[in-house]
């Protein structure tokens, strides 16, 4: 007799995929997120991975996870307590169990619960047998065995077949929550286009997981979360991470300002993705410079601002420490510079892959002379696009460095983003100085680099090499207007 399945309607679900860093949890989470976005749910994600290059397999420090919160209404966070935990090994179960809501569902890969693996995770007895999981709804699934059986005719080795078990788990969860499957299969075939055997093995494992959910008696209930139609104004949407939204926002800002975009950056987690992304867009007049250190990166960016470009530098908290002197120089020079700080836990090296919003006071006051700098902070991953436009607007309009404070959660997390129409973007064009702007007592026309616009108090921006606009700028105190060296207290104030 066919198994009769019950379908329950839910308004929201929080799922966490967890396993070793090599178990493909980030890819699994990304694909489930793509399915969910295409279905029309509102969503928020939280990727989480170790800071070590590769912590020992099967240990608590080596656990990687991906959390997804999706709903039929507007949501703002990836949630705190998962309703469902997919644990690929004992360490994943132990590291995440305390977060799971009481009565939550645990999908446990029993093939990995060997005596040695449980000892490495700190279990003296099997949690599957000692009653410690009685408060949860446990699904014991031998993922390795089922995946190997599904791929028995694929020609892959057992080791290669085991690497597909995350796709089996993804197929199972896709069945449980009625996720569309076409996009996942298309992605897998594109990702492994040069290795068609691997591509088809992953697709087969994915389908096997879906079929397992459909046929096994252990999963008697599937769940339906309706699209969040009321949460989204009409438009074209895509799923986007904060760093990608920031990158697109900077490109859009440069186009709206009719300026070349220059990024001076030194790789640092979790800001490096902005450098990676912008380097792909030379066709939009973007120039990226991977410097030898943080100081060189911001120095190059400030030089680009002096040369008339939309200048940006990206980093995290430790990099802001090193850039502080040059940012103060930008304050003194009154040049537009967008300083993006993707915050992480500190102090010092701190927590490179963990999120924290703890750089605010450093951004506000971390310069000598208490040099003031405007600060913009996005509230969601999608809002990073608008934050980039706003930071650029302030920097260009007032000739000042501007801090944009994002963080690791916004940077790596994702949510639906309504793609704006170009005509709805702000006009950010600026007028460079073209001619002398001051007349001396003897009638001589000269260019004063610090003569201010009466409305914005911004000084003129003169591109080096413009005839007749030769001027001197630097970090030493300057007289307002002329830019000559000044030691006058009233001028300083």
């Amino acid at each position: 007799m066919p198994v009769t399945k019950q379908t329950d309607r839910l308004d929201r679900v929080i799922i966490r995929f967890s396993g070793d860093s090599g178990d493909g949890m980030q890819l699994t989470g990304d694909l489930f997120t793509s399915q969910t976005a295409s279905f029309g749910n509102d969503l928020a994600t939280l990727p989480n991975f170790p800071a070590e290059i590769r912590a020992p397999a099967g240990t608590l420090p080596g656990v990687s996870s991906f959390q997804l919160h999706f709903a039929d209404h507007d949501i703002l966070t990836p949630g705190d307590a998962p309703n469902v935990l997919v644990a690929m090994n004992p360490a994943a179960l132990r590291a995440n169990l305390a977060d799971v809501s009481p009565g939550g569902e645990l999908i446990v890969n029993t093939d990995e619960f060997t005596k040695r693996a449980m000892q490495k995770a700190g279990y003296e007895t099997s949690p599957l047998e000692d009653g410690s999981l009685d408060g949860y709804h446990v699904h014991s699934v031998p993922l390795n065995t089922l995946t190997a059986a599904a791929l028995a005719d694929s020609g892959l080795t057992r080791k290669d077949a085991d690497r597909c078990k995350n796709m089996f788990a993804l197929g199972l969860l896709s069945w449980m929550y009625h996720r569309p499957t076409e996009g996942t299969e298309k992605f897998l075939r594109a990702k492994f286009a040069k290795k068609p055997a691997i591509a088809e093995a992953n697709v087969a494992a994915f389908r096997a997981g879906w079929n397992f959910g459909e046929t096994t008696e252990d999963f008697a209930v599937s769940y339906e979360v309706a699209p969040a139609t009321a949460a989204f104004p009409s438009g074209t949407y895509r799923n986007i991470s904060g760093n990608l939204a920031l990158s697109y926002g900077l490109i859009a800002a440069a186009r709206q300002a009719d300026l070349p975009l220059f990024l001076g950056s030194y790789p640092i987690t979790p800001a490096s993705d902005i450098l990676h992304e912008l380097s792909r867009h030379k066709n939009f007049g973007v120039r990226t410079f991977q410097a030898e250190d943080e100081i060189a990166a911001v120095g190059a960016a400030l030089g680009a601002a002096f040369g008339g470009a939309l200048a940006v530098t990206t980093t995290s908290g430790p990099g802001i420490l090193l850039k502080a002197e040059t940012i103060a120089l930008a304050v003194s020079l009154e040049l537009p510079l967008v300083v993006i700080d993707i915050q992480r836990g500190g102090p010092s090296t701190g927590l490179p892959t963990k999120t924290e919003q703890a750089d605010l006071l450093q951004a506000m006051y971390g310069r000598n002379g208490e040099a003031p700098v405007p600060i913009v902070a996005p509230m969601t991953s999608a809002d990073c696009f608008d934050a980039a436009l706003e930071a650029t607007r302030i920097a260009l309009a007032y000739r000042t460095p501007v801090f944009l404070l994002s963080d690791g959660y916004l940077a790596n997390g994702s949510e639906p983003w309504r793609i704006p129409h170009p005509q709805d973007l702000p006009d950010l064009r600026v007028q460079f100085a073209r001619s002398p702007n001051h007349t001396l007592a003897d009638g001589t026309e000269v260019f004063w680099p610090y003569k201010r616009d009466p409305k914005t108090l911004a000084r003129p921006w003169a591109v080096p090499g413009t005839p007749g606009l030769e001027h001197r700028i630097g970090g030493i105190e300057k007289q307002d207007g002329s830019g000559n060296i000044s030691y006058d207290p009233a001028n300083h104030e």
Side-chain angles (χ1 to χ4, degrees):
M1 292 180 60
V3 179
T4 302
K5 299 288 187 176
Q6 175 184 337
T7 300
D8 289 349
R9 185 75 175 267
L10 302 176
D11 62 349
R12 67 185 186 99
V13 176
I14 303 171
I15 299 174
R16 183 180 296 178
F17 298 92
S18 184
D20 266 331
S21 291
D23 282 338
M25 293 297 94
Q26 305 307 319
L27 175 61
T28 306
D30 282 339
L31 290 174
F32 196 90
T33 299
S34 296
Q35 295 176 1
T36 299
S38 66
F39 188 73
N41 296 120
D42 194 18
L43 61 90
T45 69
L46 180 61
N48 189 13
F49 33 84
E52 294 88 349
I53 297 299
R54 185 65 187 272
T59 64
L60 297 183
V63 171
S64 172
S65 67
F66 188 105
Q67 184 161 306
L68 167 68
H69 181 192
F70 61 100
D72 65 2
H73 57 277
D74 186 26
I75 57 174
L76 300 176
T77 76
D80 292 323
N83 308 116
V84 181
L85 171 65
V86 180
M88 304 298 280
N89 61 22
L93 179 64
R94 188 175 182 88
N96 295 283
L97 185 61
D99 294 338
V100 180
S101 57
E105 296 198 66
L106 305 178
I107 300 175
V108 181
N109 179 15
T110 54
D111 283 333
E112 293 293 334
F113 277 70
T114 63
K115 184 177 181 180
R116 175 170 170 76
M118 288 187 288
Q119 288 175 343
K120 289 173 71 174
Y123 284 116
E124 295 182 0
T125 60
S126 173
L128 303 177
E129 300 172 355
D130 62 9
S132 60
L133 303 181
D134 287 349
Y136 306 93
H137 188 187
V138 181
H139 301 279
S140 298
V141 182
L143 286 175
N144 301 48
T145 301
L146 292 171
T147 304
L151 304 181
D153 298 327
S154 66
L156 298 183
T157 66
R158 178 60 186 259
K159 183 178 181 180
D160 287 337
D162 279 348
R163 289 174 177 161
C164 299
K165 63 180 180 290
N166 61 326
M167 290 300 103
F168 189 101
L170 177 62
L172 174 57
L173 268 294
S174 299
W175 171 83
M176 282 183 67
Y177 292 97
H178 297 262
R179 301 294 92 182
T181 61
E182 296 82 2
T184 296
E185 294 187 14
K186 183 178 179 181
F187 172 87
L188 291 172
R189 290 194 171 99
K191 180 178 176 62
F192 299 107
K194 295 182 179 179
K195 299 178 179 179
I198 298 295
E200 292 308 314
N202 277 280
V203 170
F206 175 69
R207 290 178 175 175
W210 197 95
N211 291 331
F212 178 76
E214 177 73 10
T215 57
T216 183
E217 295 185 6
D218 188 40
F219 289 87
V221 181
S222 64
Y223 303 95
E224 187 176 278
V225 181
T229 51
F232 299 122
S234 61
T236 302
Y237 287 81
R238 60 156 294 168
N239 188 49
I240 199 167
S241 68
N243 274 349
L244 185 57
L246 260 180
S247 301
Y248 288 175
L250 291 171
I251 295 171
R255 300 291 282 188
Q256 294 301 107
D258 196 22
L259 294 175
L261 174 62
F262 179 89
L263 173 68
S265 184
Y266 179 76
I268 182 172
T269 302
S272 299
D273 285 340
I274 301 173
L275 172 61
H276 302 159
E277 182 61 33
L278 289 180
S279 67
R280 300 186 177 104
H281 297 286
K282 297 180 179 65
N283 57 311
F284 286 118
V286 178
R287 295 182 180 178
T288 53
F289 172 57
Q290 181 175 322
E292 66 268 30
D293 55 45
E294 296 282 6
I295 299 172
V298 69
L302 186 56
F306 180 56
L310 172 55
V312 182
T313 188
T314 54
T315 188
S316 189
I320 295 297
L321 289 171
L322 294 163
K323 295 179 190 291
E325 182 180 5
T326 306
I327 295 170
L329 175 60
V331 173
S332 180
L333 299 182
E334 297 185 42
L335 284 171
L337 174 67
V338 178
V339 181
I340 296 177
D341 177 6
I342 311 296
Q343 299 167 90
R344 72 191 203 190
S348 188
T349 303
L351 304 165
T353 62
K354 308 303 178 185
T355 190
E356 188 175 52
Q357 296 175 326
D359 291 347
L360 177 60
L361 296 184
Q362 178 182 219
M364 291 174 68
Y365 304 120
R367 289 162 301 283
N368 60 310
E370 300 186 25
V373 172
I375 298 172
V376 174
M379 58 183 177
T380 67
S381 296
D383 190 45
C384 289
F385 179 88
D386 295 316
L389 287 166
E390 178 65 4
T392 300
R393 182 192 69 81
I394 296 171
L396 294 177
Y398 300 100
R399 315 285 196 264
T400 178
V402 177
F403 269 102
L404 195 160
L405 293 184
S406 181
D407 60 69
Y409 153 58
L410 295 180
N412 296 320
S414 63
E415 65 174 348
W417 172 56
R418 184 173 180 265
I419 300 173
H421 292 289
Q423 61 265 30
D424 294 333
L425 299 178
D427 185 349
L428 301 178
R429 287 173 293 183
V430 296
Q431 295 295 323
F432 289 109
R434 302 295 184 189
S435 58
N437 62 359
H438 185 75
T439 304
L440 299 178
D442 63 1
T444 304
E445 291 188 336
V446 296
F447 175 68
W448 274 17
Y450 285 87
K451 188 170 185 176
R452 304 187 178 281
D453 182 294
K455 292 183 179 179
T456 65
L457 300 183
R459 76 173 186 87
W461 192 6
V463 176
T466 306
L469 303 190
E470 295 82 1
H471 62 284
R472 179 182 64 226
I473 61 174
I476 201 168
E477 184 80 8
K478 292 166 289 293
Q479 184 180 48
D480 197 43
S482 71
N484 295 328
I485 292 174
S486 171
Y487 295 102
D488 178 59
N491 178 83
H492 175 74
E493 186 178 351

